[in-house]
Amino acid sequence: MRAPLIPLTDELKQAVPTSTIVTATARQAQELRYSWAFEAVAAGKLAWEAPNIRHFNAWVLELYEELMRKGHPSAKSGLLQQTALTLALRLCAPDDEYFKHTNAVADAWRIYCGWNLQRVGPDLDQTENGRLFRNWIREFEMFCSEQEVITTPQLPKLIADAIRAREFKPNRACMFACDELSPSQQDLVRQLNRIGQLGESLELPLFDGPRHKVHVFKSTARERTGFVQWGRERLAQLGPESRIGVVVPQISNEYLTIRRHWEAAFFDSEDVDQLVNVGSGVPLGDTRLCQDIIKLLTWTITDLNFSEVLQLGRSPYLTALEIPTQFPRDYPDHIRFAGYASRSSSGASKQITRLTTRRPSLLSDWASVALQVFRAAGWSTDKDSDEDRRIHASIVDVLNSVSHLSAFVGRVSWSQAVEYIRDGVRSAQLAYNTRNSPIQVVDRSESVGLQFDALWVCSVAEDKWPPDPNPNPMIPISVQRRAVMPRVTHQQMLGWAQLLTRVWACSAPEVVFSAAPMEDQTEALPSRLLMEHDRSDINRILSQSGIAEFDHPWGVARQQHMVREFIADKGTPLPPEEVAEQRTSVIRDQSNCPFRAWAIHRAKLPESKHPHRFPDPLDRGTAVHKVMQLLVERARDRGAILELDSVDIEMAIDSAVAPLRKMLLPDRFIEYEKARIREIVNSWQELERAREDFQIVEVEQEYVLELEGFSFKLRVDRVDKTNELKALVIDYKTGTVRIRNWSTPRPLDPQMPLYSMVVPNCDGLAYEEISGSDVKLRGVSDRSTSEDGIKLASKQLDVSLSTLKNDWRTALSTIAREFKDGLATVKPTNVNYICRNCHLDGFCRTFTDIDMPVIPEVEVE
Ligand code: SF4
């Protein structure tokens, strides 16, 4: 059993049996109860009376309940606490657009009641926010009076008034370290004193404040690595019953990162929670489970875009929704849950649609519907971890709070109910079980009054300590200053920081203060409040200081290029069983950028196709390609092409646009598309008319290319025999084409080079380039031909086609071998051409250093 963090002094021991001990923070109350139990066990007791130790707010609630039990007239109202208070304030918002400020208004309400700001009501009107707040709470006070409810911030005044009127006499209480009470809380304590029920104030027991060590790290990540390493070393040195503390500024913002650091430091421990307790809670809405179910509820009332839906499909909690990993291309870009359910075969989605499309109901009914929705979606508490069960319990608490509003709100639609649930979740905190582990990581606000055998206080750089004031935005700053509210001016922050620094210095025989620069700075200085302590080398703080000099990969912030610290140029070689049939896109991607090929074909991260209502350039290009194929299958030489009549052409166009009809497009759109293709066909016939006689010897012929053990399947659009060329390979391309993209050693577009390697006697390569309604022939050969668009390869590509064919075989073999060997360097052959359309830029991180260039033209196939 580890030693208590707050030792029981003689005063405390005398006060506990006769009084309620009222502490400033919930953590102090918890630690004092632990201290009491520790003393009892140490004294050999088997049973003992539970001490009455309460956090100030919990004590006030207890007093209110006592008033209610005694039937005091002012304590007959219902009580709105935390989530219910926020939701009730939302009800009174002047307008829907202000809903987002509800949490700030709830905080301002606590200040308003605690500092008796009703006295200075008109002063609130000095600012626009102040006027908004005043109107808002006017409405809220009327609501409270009509509904006969009272809120927790109003309780101290109500109880103090009852004592003043001699209508209530609470039990004796002693304040423990309650130095920062609001005026209404102070008034309550004064009234207690007046009737003789206030015991001696209990002070925090502190060590003498010796000089301690201060160290500045190069980054926040190294600072974290430093304190976890120090924690491990101190635990080994001081033993499992010791008390080792780490103070961080705001645990809820960094809970996961800090926890991962401890898990890494205690990699050999099966249960790190036995050794380290990190904080006592995070916002409920930050948890993954909560985010997923709130997103699901949101989906039932509004459209989500397809990537949000895909993300929801990856949720481990909502598996019954059966959301696919890819959507068909004609899926709507944005879809509401009901739309998804009508297309899905999942019974759960249909059940959810049924549940959520009822008539307006009471909030309590909708709360139970929400639970049914979660269950139908696949969330089962049987499979949940302990943490998920705690989140589940917190969500049920929120739903209970929402249900309590039924009487005030009446019947509402499902959409309104979801808004209430979302707001409730946003204002709720997930409480963790604070474990009595030897290492305690605590928030600054929780650290006051706790004692340790060794303490590390981080983030005390000059620019972070004292921190900036954080006044409430709804109450004019001048009002907050005049009301002498704490921590609203720089002067107050300085005083508070000085006090806390002194308290920390006296909280352990050994204290380390550490600082690190902000993300965009290179250096930091320790806070001036630490001048009396010694700057110390890391070797004097850690016995194995080298570890803290390296950033742990889990802890490095994104801006610090974590991936580049651990670059490996190669993945594992392709397993032999996968070296068989491959698509030619492997060669193209490997040639363009080895990392791209590895990510798409090895890590299986292909670009997910965005569902689209109207055909995209690729769909439209495919339709044109299909028309060309159908026409040349029918007309196999120049003369036949010229003789194609409008009936043949219309039939081909109708057949090509048939897939577009399935997309339920408007008739007018289909007609425009057909007219566009008709124009292209006319241009194409003109192009073929202008050429010398030719025969089309192959259409959509399939070949297999064996290369480095791979079998690549190729399908060649068309091969022509002309008077001058035995085999002119023709490929239809929509958009602008570049013959230079065939250049070795890494062709940007290796498709034609691959064709040249399989088509027998290939002596010419050409694109039929379709740009708008224009069609042009552009290609190369080794012979001068009468074809306008066919140029000499030696002029276009600086080398003959026969030489190129050999070069291509060598280059493409090398590229295929690279892929087989697992080469995965982030090395785009041409940043302008490739990276701009690559979906992996966030993964490869190339553009953290490269300015994305503007590209003059983009090829669309
Ligand atoms: S963005 Fe460029 S560098 Fe990154 S993977 Fe794609 S092609 Fe390669």
Side-chain angles (χ1 to χ4, degrees):
M1 213 173 165
R2 70 133 166 83
L5 299 184
I6 305 180
L8 285 183
T9 57
D10 290 342
E11 291 82 23
L12 265 168
K13 283 182 198 161
Q14 282 165 16
V16 168
T18 56
S19 314
T20 302
I21 309 297
V22 182
T23 63
T25 68
R27 182 65 189 255
Q28 287 169 351
Q30 184 187 345
E31 291 302 333
L32 275 178
R33 284 194 288 273
Y34 176 79
S35 306
W36 191 258
F38 184 88
E39 286 270 323
V41 172
K45 291 186 188 169
L46 295 177
W48 58 91
E49 202 175 328
N52 208 1
I53 301 173
R54 296 280 179 272
H55 168 216
F56 197 99
N57 293 345
W59 172 63
V60 169
L61 262 181
E62 242 178 36
L63 294 184
Y64 182 71
E65 281 164 10
E66 202 183 326
L67 266 182
M68 285 179 92
R69 274 197 304 278
K70 291 188 169 160
H72 191 274
S74 61
K76 283 188 180 151
S77 315
L79 183 62
L80 295 179
Q81 298 184 53
Q82 290 177 357
T83 310
L85 166 61
T86 311
L87 294 173
L89 275 165
R90 187 180 188 280
L91 267 180
C92 303
D95 202 309
D96 294 5
E97 71 173 287
Y98 297 118
F99 284 168
K100 54 182 177 289
H101 303 303
T102 311
N103 281 331
V105 170
D107 274 343
W109 173 249
R110 285 182 196 107
I111 294 169
Y112 182 84
C113 298
W115 269 261
N116 301 322
L117 295 189
Q118 57 275 32
R119 294 170 292 130
V120 296
D123 293 355
L124 295 174
D125 293 347
Q126 290 167 10
T127 62
E128 201 171 319
N129 275 2
R131 283 193 289 282
L132 168 66
F133 174 64
R134 195 146 177 251
N135 290 338
W136 196 321
I137 57 167
R138 201 176 284 141
E139 198 63 33
F140 181 63
E141 283 172 327
M142 271 163 52
F143 167 85
C144 289
S145 136
E146 277 166 19
Q147 303 293 341
E148 295 188 354
V149 288
I150 189 166
T151 65
T152 39
Q154 294 168 297
L155 294 185
K157 179 173 183 317
L158 183 146
I159 296 165
D161 287 347
I163 299 172
R164 207 181 337 260
R166 300 175 190 279
E167 294 161 357
F168 181 47
K169 185 176 180 189
N171 290 337
R172 189 177 169 77
C174 293
M175 301 294 130
F176 177 84
C178 294
D179 303 323
E180 230 182 47
L181 298 179
S182 69
S184 68
Q185 291 171 328
Q186 287 171 18
D187 185 36
L188 170 57
V189 174
R190 259 197 312 276
Q191 294 311 317
L192 212 59
N193 190 27
R194 196 178 56 75
I195 59 170
Q197 289 299 78
L198 182 69
E200 285 290 305
S201 274
L202 302 165
E203 299 300 327
L204 289 168
L206 295 174
F207 291 97
D208 288 341
R211 286 154 77 94
H212 294 294
K213 300 185 189 105
V214 179
H215 182 74
V216 177
F217 287 86
K218 287 201 176 124
S219 67
T220 311
R222 289 182 192 190
E223 186 183 28
R224 291 193 196 117
T225 312
F227 69 64
V228 297
Q229 177 65 19
W230 172 88
R232 185 172 174 130
E233 285 184 7
R234 286 295 167 275
L235 184 62
Q237 195 183 359
L238 301 171
E241 293 182 359
S242 58
R243 305 160 302 169
I244 298 155
V246 176
V247 177
V248 295
Q250 276 191 318
I251 288 188
S252 54
N253 294 350
E254 297 180 88
Y255 172 81
L256 287 176
T257 316
I258 293 173
R259 193 183 155 85
R260 279 199 299 266
H261 269 82
W262 288 105
E263 283 167 355
F266 288 102
F267 61 90
D268 46 356
S269 160
E270 280 185 9
D271 185 3
V272 76
D273 292 328
Q274 297 288 336
L275 303 172
V276 188
N277 176 66
V278 183
S280 53
V282 291
L284 180 61
D286 284 0
T287 57
R288 166 84 195 270
L289 193 157
C290 209
Q291 284 174 351
D292 286 352
I293 59 167
I294 291 300
K295 180 72 92 184
L296 170 62
L297 293 187
T298 306
W299 193 17
T300 59
I301 61 169
T302 183
D303 291 356
L304 291 191
N305 73 37
F306 101 104
S307 28
E308 288 176 296
V309 176
L310 286 182
Q311 196 185 356
L312 210 49
R314 290 192 282 270
S315 166
Y317 307 107
L318 308 174
T319 45
L321 296 180
E322 295 175 18
I323 297 173
T325 50
Q326 284 274 4
F327 285 118
R329 74 165 187 210
D330 58 343
Y331 225 76
D333 185 34
H334 284 71
I335 191 166
R336 195 169 286 219
F337 188 84
Y340 166 75
S342 67
R343 291 161 182 250
S344 164
S345 57
S346 128
S349 51
K350 294 189 172 49
Q351 187 190 350
I352 292 173
T353 309
R354 271 197 306 277
L355 284 167
T356 55
T357 46
R358 296 182 187 170
R359 293 206 178 137
S361 301
L362 292 176
L363 274 172
S364 48
D365 296 334
W366 286 130
S368 89
V369 165
L371 275 177
Q372 291 174 52
V373 166
F374 302 153
R375 273 188 221 116
W379 176 24
S380 149
T381 45
D382 302 343
K383 292 180 277 171
D384 282 351
S385 64
D386 280 356
E387 183 163 329
D388 286 344
R389 284 207 193 97
R390 272 199 300 277
I391 299 170
H392 177 267
S394 300
I395 291 169
V396 172
D397 275 351
V398 169
L399 293 175
N400 276 337
S401 299
V402 170
S403 302
H404 288 156
L405 293 183
S406 300
F408 313 137
V409 186
R411 291 180 183 277
V412 295
S413 66
W414 170 245
S415 308
Q416 288 167 308
V418 169
E419 296 290 348
Y420 280 109
I421 295 170
R422 281 200 305 209
D423 274 8
V425 165
R426 274 190 211 121
S427 63
Q429 188 82 1
L430 174 66
Y432 286 134
N433 295 335
T434 305
R435 296 174 199 85
N436 297 314
S437 324
I439 300 177
Q440 294 286 327
V441 185
V442 293
D443 203 276
R444 274 179 188 156
S445 57
E446 275 188 340
S447 67
V448 184
L450 307 186
Q451 289 195 0
F452 300 93
D453 300 313
L455 178 67
W456 184 300
V457 180
C458 68
S459 285
V460 280
E462 189 181 28
D463 51 354
K464 295 181 193 163
W465 189 247
D468 291 332
N470 187 19
N472 184 284
M474 305 309 296
I475 300 174
I477 187 79
S478 56
V479 172
Q480 299 189 46
R481 280 189 190 140
R482 255 183 292 139
V484 202
M485 286 178 47
R487 295 183 235 167
V488 295
T489 64
H490 287 280
Q491 196 57 35
Q492 287 172 324
M493 293 310 286
L494 176 65
W496 174 70
Q498 273 170 333
L499 178 70
L500 208 48
T501 309
R502 272 204 304 279
V503 168
W504 285 328
C506 299
S507 297
E510 178 201 350
V511 182
V512 178
F513 292 98
S514 68
M518 309 260 260
E519 301 300 357
D520 55 348
Q521 293 172 357
T522 50
E523 272 187 59
L525 287 172
S527 166
R528 287 170 197 221
L529 300 180
L530 302 170
M531 280 166 78
E532 64 192 83
H533 303 290
D534 304 322
R535 261 189 92 162
S536 191
D537 191 77
I538 189 73
N539 295 319
R540 293 189 50 222
I541 298 171
L542 296 175
S543 60
Q544 291 192 14
S545 57
I547 295 174
E549 292 300 300
F550 295 100
D551 297 318
H552 191 283
W554 290 348
V556 181
R558 216 161 16 141
Q559 294 90 325
Q560 292 171 285
H561 314 300
M562 177 180 90
V563 172
R564 282 202 283 134
E565 297 265 324
F566 299 94
I567 283 175
D569 284 348
K570 272 194 174 186
T572 49
L574 197 66
E577 62 275 14
E578 287 183 31
V579 185
E581 272 194 17
Q582 287 285 353
R583 300 168 59 183
T584 52
S585 54
V586 163
I587 294 285
R588 184 197 59 211
D589 293 332
Q590 185 75 23
S591 177
N592 286 347
C593 170
F595 183 78
R596 179 177 156 84
W598 177 84
I600 293 176
H601 303 283
R602 300 286 307 280
K604 307 295 178 207
L605 294 171
E607 182 169 12
S608 55
K609 190 106 176 66
H610 221 290
H612 42 282
R613 167 99 170 84
F614 284 90
D616 65 4
L618 187 61
D619 300 327
R620 301 174 83 197
T622 306
V624 173
H625 188 283
K626 183 73 186 168
V627 171
M628 297 301 191
Q629 178 195 337
L630 292 173
L631 292 178
V632 293
E633 272 172 355
R634 192 179 178 84
R636 303 295 288 243
D637 59 31
R638 176 175 172 273
I641 289 176
L642 299 184
E643 279 171 20
L644 285 169
D645 60 20
S646 56
V647 177
D648 300 325
I649 294 170
E650 284 307 310
M651 273 172 55
I653 295 176
D654 273 342
S655 163
V657 299
L660 303 187
R661 288 191 192 281
K662 283 194 202 144
M663 294 168 83
L664 302 177
L665 296 168
D667 286 348
R668 183 177 288 187
F669 181 91
I670 305 259
E671 287 312 313
Y672 280 141
E673 192 57 14
K674 284 172 70 177
R676 181 184 78 88
I677 298 175
R678 218 173 280 127
E679 265 188 62
I680 291 172
V681 172
N682 287 343
S683 296
W684 171 70
Q685 277 183 305
E686 286 307 312
L687 168 76
E688 304 294 9
R689 182 197 302 278
R691 294 174 60 194
E692 295 291 323
D693 274 352
F694 58 84
Q695 284 91 46
I696 300 173
V697 290
E698 286 174 5
V699 176
E700 299 291 328
Q701 181 66 42
E702 285 191 358
Y703 289 96
V704 175
L705 171 67
E706 302 289 345
L707 200 65
E708 294 295 321
F710 293 107
S711 298
F712 294 107
K713 265 196 187 167
L714 306 173
R715 182 188 277 258
V716 181
D717 284 356
R718 170 176 160 186
V719 180
D720 283 12
K721 182 174 181 315
T722 70
N723 293 337
E724 291 130 347
L725 298 174
K726 289 188 207 136
L728 171 65
V729 173
I730 292 180
D731 193 62
Y732 303 113
K733 281 271 188 225
T734 317
T736 310
V737 296
R738 287 187 191 156
I739 306 286
R740 286 246 160 224
N741 286 353
W742 303 343
S743 301
T744 52
R746 303 190 80 83
L748 286 173
D749 187 354
Q751 186 187 17
M752 293 299 253
L754 286 167
Y755 289 169
S756 76
M757 289 158 65
V758 288
V759 175
N761 304 319
C762 168
D763 52 1
L765 294 170
Y767 287 127
E768 281 203 353
E769 179 197 61
I770 302 159
S771 173
S773 58
D774 267 5
V775 186
K776 285 187 197 140
L777 192 70
R778 295 182 59 193
V780 294
S781 168
D782 278 347
R783 296 189 193 176
S784 302
T785 69
S786 51
E787 306 267 15
D788 249 3
I790 309 284
K791 308 286 181 206
L792 279 176
S794 53
K795 285 203 174 157
Q796 282 282 299
L797 295 166
D798 310 323
V799 59
S800 72
L801 185 57
S802 48
T803 311
L804 263 177
K805 281 163 71 176
N806 286 333
D807 292 351
W808 281 334
R809 181 164 286 278
T810 311
L812 298 180
S813 299
T814 307
I815 288 166
R817 221 168 26 246
E818 279 178 5
F819 179 73
K820 195 156 70 173
D821 291 347
L823 185 81
T825 39
V826 180
K827 200 170 178 187
T829 308
N830 180 328
V831 174
N832 287 6
Y833 188 78
I834 305 160
C835 298
R836 189 173 183 237
N837 291 318
C838 178
H839 62 293
L840 297 161
D841 55 338
F843 187 24
C844 71
R845 306 282 187 92
T846 292
F847 301 111
T848 46
D849 292 339
I850 298 176
D851 284 338
M852 185 66 103
V854 178
I855 299 180
E857 52 190 4
V858 184
E859 179 177 345
V860 181
E861 189 172 338

